[in-house]
Amino acid sequence: MAGAERRRSTVWGKIRAVRCEDVKEWCVRRLPILEWVPIYDWKENLVPDAVSGMMLAIQQVTQGLAFAALSSVHPVFGLYGSFFPVIIYAIFGMGHHVATGTFALTSLISANAVERLVPSTGTNFTANNNSGVLGLSEFEMQRIGVAAAVSFLGGIIQVAMFTLHLGHATFLLTEPVISAMTTGAATHVVTSQVKYLLGMKMPYISGPLGFFHIYAYIFENIRSVQLEALLLSLLSIVVLVLVKELNEKFQRNIKIVLPIDLVLIIATSTACCYADMEYVYGLEVVGHIPQGLPPPKLPAMNVLSEVVTEAFGVALVGYVASLALAQSSAKRFKYTVDDNQEFLAHGLSNVIPSFFFCIPSAAAMGRTALLYSTGARTQVACLISCALVLVVIYTIGAMLYWLPMCVLASIIVVGLKGMLMQFRDLKKYWNVDKIDWSIWVTTYMFTICFAANVGLLYGVVCTIVIVIFRFPRAKTLNLKNMKEVEYKYKTEENCESLKQVKIVTVSNPLVFLNARKFHADLMKIIQKDGTSSQACEDVNKCEQNTLLCSFSNGSCHGESLQPCQSEQCVLILDCSGLNFFDYTGVSMLLQIYMDCKNRHIEVLLACCKEIQQVQRTE
């Protein structure tokens, strides 16, 4: 009894010790919206956020319809998936320029569960059967029930990973692995849309080597290609690519780009309606779009045990792709992102919307790039897009009945251009580290032959195994033996200017396992004495490539130091113990260089004779 009372008193003591400041800090940490809303500059940010929100809403609607079809559910559920997850992420997410919503890769994964548990019986989206909820057939409601179950379980897995603090293990996800996995998954998505582009009727094909079975079926039934759908698909792709290229070329001169996706949808829907293409040419169209938001309903819990594989795929692939975009935007706009908090944000963005018939969600590269190009400042742009999507759901959605499915497929294919262009990364991986290049190629092949989650798992395991065998002699990975030396000297005679020099010696390889720790330790050394405040503001400007080019024949090529009237700072990295590095290590060196440049600190490398030559990658 005495022990129990002592434990109870200890617990009550801890509860009483909690201060209001601690509760407030916890709430701000878990609800980032409480941090940025009070300081939102309405006068400065509202107009650019509103413009970006309008452009984002157009893309959310078009991609929502397209990715819902990719997920083998009725396109209207893509509109719901472009509304609810965006609001949840704006509350819990930390990425200011991350556009969450429907996502091609997670839609493709959930389609496996939908087609397996509720196989197609010849019903298409044009069937207007009012026997079910929302005016849709019972068949469509069963399908979205499975997709919502995948979203629900995938979100639960992500929240569990947040609870276990697995966000801190994301250093295992190297850039080559993420790039190869997303490129391979994008290739799968394009393949899944070929049947719509060609107007072919074909069974759903998945599983190992399903990628090759799909093309084998297409070539065996090439005579069943619908010429009208093929011509409309080619015309749509040409128009989309051409206008998007022009938008990118002139985006500096014009803030509002031409919403070609919306224009194409309106034009093709109108043409299909007046030419009666559904019946005259047999084109498959979207069909009936219910109006309004659905009442909440529990996902199909009876199938949770049967969608575990797809749920894990949605949880991992969606998080990895979204985190890469969040980290990229954070680096670009100088703010920080908590990897573990992102698990919570995306988990809740899947769990809560699953009660409103939403398919799995994640951040998409195309939408995030749109926020960049249109000058979005905060998450308000995403919230404004939600308001406009809501208008579409209640008023305009019914007008999309005549939208051809081949046009939606064209929008999907062109929207994946950014992911498919990651093939160009092979050149820089080859120049920096040929082992990273081989990991990229093999991860891509595993993704193509099996699935995105299998390719991701292979890439992580392969990277860890290779690193273990590459430096068996390394004594430590935590860089505790980092040494620093500091001294000052006059730059030239008859000058009062002094240079403060820090020499940092590292005796470990620089790879993905210790790159973040290296960066953090180095920043602590730089900040320890507040040297950045004494730096000279008249420093030489140079490109990011300068650091890469300094790895050459054991010499470090830095520009001559210009004297100034205040104390200058120089950071010298002694690379004598840096036996080898991978692409992540080189990227971290570039990040250190840019961080020091912003602090007006020059960075030089010394004793690089053991490091292989790195060519320009840009």
Side-chain angles (χ1 to χ4, degrees):
M1 293 294 294
E5 292 179 0
R6 191 180 305 110
R7 285 193 296 271
R8 280 197 297 268
S9 62
T10 302
V11 172
W12 279 110
K14 291 182 178 180
I15 294 176
R16 294 192 201 98
V18 176
R19 300 172 299 174
C20 293
E21 291 79 5
D22 298 330
V23 176
K24 181 179 179 181
E25 182 183 355
W26 184 90
C27 291
V28 171
R29 189 167 68 250
R30 296 301 169 221
L31 297 170
I33 192 173
L34 299 178
E35 181 178 0
W36 60 265
V37 165
I39 60 174
Y40 183 77
D41 190 341
W42 295 90
K43 183 178 180 181
E44 186 74 19
N45 298 334
L46 185 59
V47 173
D49 281 343
V51 173
S52 298
M54 289 187 290
M55 301 302 298
L56 178 62
I58 296 172
Q59 200 167 61
Q60 286 277 29
V61 170
T62 56
Q63 290 189 353
L65 295 171
F67 293 156
L70 178 61
S71 192
S72 296
V73 299
H74 194 282
V76 71
F77 299 117
L79 296 180
Y80 304 152
S82 300
F83 176 74
F84 291 104
V86 180
I87 297 177
I88 302 301
Y89 183 82
I91 297 173
F92 294 94
M94 300 187 69
H96 299 174
H97 301 80
V98 175
T100 307
T102 54
F103 185 44
L105 307 189
T106 55
S107 296
L108 185 64
I109 294 173
S110 66
N112 292 332
V114 172
E115 293 288 350
R116 187 180 74 252
L117 299 178
V118 189
S120 177
T121 57
T123 306
N124 57 35
F125 296 131
T126 63
N128 190 0
N129 187 341
N130 295 330
S131 61
V133 184
L134 298 171
L136 299 175
S137 65
E138 188 63 28
F139 171 77
E140 291 296 347
M141 298 311 299
Q142 289 177 1
R143 288 200 146 196
I144 188 56
V146 174
V150 174
S151 178
F152 175 81
L153 186 56
I156 291 295
I157 293 172
Q158 289 176 326
V159 173
M161 290 179 174
F162 159 77
T163 306
L164 297 174
H165 295 277
L166 294 184
H168 300 303
T170 53
F171 64 89
L172 297 174
L173 303 172
T174 62
E175 183 177 333
V177 172
I178 295 176
S179 174
M181 183 273 293
T182 53
T183 306
T187 308
H188 272 297
V189 173
V190 172
T191 301
S192 70
Q193 296 304 295
V194 171
K195 63 179 180 180
Y196 295 117
L197 296 175
L198 301 179
M200 294 180 63
K201 302 291 183 182
M202 60 181 296
Y204 184 80
I205 301 174
S206 63
L209 303 180
F211 174 85
F212 303 101
H213 293 317
I214 291 175
Y215 286 105
Y217 182 92
I218 291 173
F219 285 114
E220 289 175 0
N221 300 271
I222 195 68
R223 294 186 177 181
S224 63
V225 171
Q226 192 175 14
L227 185 59
E228 294 80 8
L230 176 60
L231 292 177
L232 185 56
S233 300
L234 291 176
L235 178 62
S236 301
I237 291 175
V238 170
V239 171
L240 287 169
V241 172
L242 181 62
V243 176
K244 286 179 182 290
E245 288 293 332
L246 292 176
N247 284 339
E248 290 180 7
K249 183 177 181 180
F250 297 105
Q251 67 179 5
R252 293 185 178 180
N253 301 326
I254 53 176
K255 287 295 182 182
I256 303 179
V257 297
L258 177 64
I260 185 58
D261 294 355
L262 179 63
V263 173
L264 183 64
I265 286 176
I266 294 175
T268 54
S269 300
T270 304
C272 186
C273 177
Y274 283 99
D276 203 12
M277 293 183 181
E278 181 185 8
Y279 301 105
V280 175
Y281 300 109
L283 284 182
E284 186 177 359
V285 297
V286 168
H288 170 63
I289 300 289
Q291 290 185 334
L293 293 175
K297 182 182 178 181
L298 196 68
M301 295 298 177
N302 59 316
V303 301
L304 290 182
S305 61
E306 301 181 66
V307 299
V308 172
T309 302
E310 288 81 8
F312 267 102
V314 165
L316 295 177
V317 174
Y319 172 76
V320 168
S322 302
L323 181 64
L325 294 175
Q327 291 176 338
S328 175
S329 64
K331 184 183 298 185
R332 180 170 181 171
F333 294 100
K334 310 300 181 185
Y335 60 88
T336 59
V337 170
D338 184 348
D339 297 350
N340 206 50
Q341 177 67 20
E342 290 296 291
F343 258 132
L344 177 64
H346 289 289
L348 295 178
S349 297
N350 278 314
V351 172
I352 297 176
S354 67
F355 290 87
F356 296 91
F357 305 100
C358 291
I359 60 178
S361 65
M365 181 183 295
R367 295 194 298 265
T368 302
L370 178 67
L371 292 179
Y372 291 168
S373 61
T374 54
R377 304 289 179 84
T378 66
Q379 294 97 317
V380 171
C382 297
L383 295 177
I384 292 175
S385 74
C386 288
L388 298 177
V389 170
L390 192 62
V391 172
V392 173
I393 291 175
Y394 273 96
T395 59
I396 307 175
M399 303 178 185
L400 300 173
Y401 180 98
W402 297 100
L403 177 61
M405 292 299 297
C406 61
V407 174
L408 274 183
S410 302
I411 292 174
I412 291 177
V413 171
V414 176
L416 294 172
K417 175 190 170 186
M419 289 187 180
L420 295 174
M421 293 299 288
Q422 291 179 137
F423 277 109
R424 296 184 299 183
D425 294 343
L426 284 171
K427 181 180 179 181
K428 64 181 182 182
Y429 296 140
W430 179 268
N431 290 336
V432 174
D433 187 7
K434 293 177 176 57
I435 292 181
D436 277 342
W437 180 90
S438 64
I439 291 175
W440 195 103
V441 173
T442 53
T443 301
Y444 176 81
M445 293 305 300
F446 264 79
T447 304
I448 287 295
C449 295
F450 300 99
N453 51 347
V454 176
L456 180 64
L457 179 62
Y458 164 80
V460 171
V461 173
C462 184
T463 303
I464 295 175
V465 171
I466 288 177
V467 167
I468 290 175
F469 282 98
R470 284 181 78 179
F471 59 104
R473 298 179 182 177
K475 297 180 180 180
T476 179
L477 277 177
N478 57 15
L479 301 182
K480 290 183 178 178
N481 296 328
M482 180 180 289
K483 300 177 181 179
E484 58 171 314
V485 179
E486 180 179 343
Y487 64 92
K488 298 180 180 180
Y489 70 98
K490 288 187 178 181
T491 55
E492 53 184 68
E493 296 181 0
N494 301 323
C495 179
E496 297 300 325
S497 172
L498 290 177
K499 284 200 173 185
Q500 185 174 8
V501 179
K502 280 186 176 292
I503 302 176
V504 176
T505 302
V506 183
S507 57
N508 293 301
L510 187 59
V511 294
F512 72 97
L513 291 174
N514 60 352
R516 291 188 184 181
K517 185 67 166 56
F518 175 77
H519 179 270
D521 289 350
L522 200 57
M523 290 300 104
K524 288 180 181 178
I525 291 175
I526 293 174
Q527 296 172 359
K528 185 171 62 175
D529 298 322
T531 55
S532 59
S533 61
Q534 303 175 1
C536 172
E537 296 187 359
D538 184 19
V539 296
N540 297 322
K541 296 181 179 180
C542 58
E543 302 294 333
Q544 293 186 21
N545 294 337
T546 304
L547 183 59
L548 282 178
C549 293
S550 64
F551 294 102
S552 179
N553 298 326
S555 59
C556 299
H557 307 290
E559 296 195 14
S560 59
L561 306 176
Q562 301 296 327
C564 62
Q565 299 304 316
S566 61
E567 190 176 82
Q568 293 180 334
C569 300
V570 178
L571 172 67
I572 299 178
L573 296 179
D574 178 10
C575 302
S576 57
L578 195 57
N579 299 324
F580 69 88
F581 52 87
D582 61 5
Y583 183 81
T584 304
V586 175
S587 299
M588 192 56 66
L589 285 177
L590 286 172
Q591 182 63 38
I592 290 170
Y593 171 79
M594 295 305 299
D595 290 344
C596 291
K597 181 180 178 181
N598 293 333
R599 298 170 181 270
H600 308 298
I601 300 174
E602 293 185 72
V603 179
L604 299 175
L605 303 181
C607 301
C608 304
K609 60 183 179 179
E610 298 294 335
I611 301 178
Q612 58 183 324
Q613 180 178 353
V614 179
Q615 303 173 355
R616 287 182 180 268
T617 60
E618 303 291 339

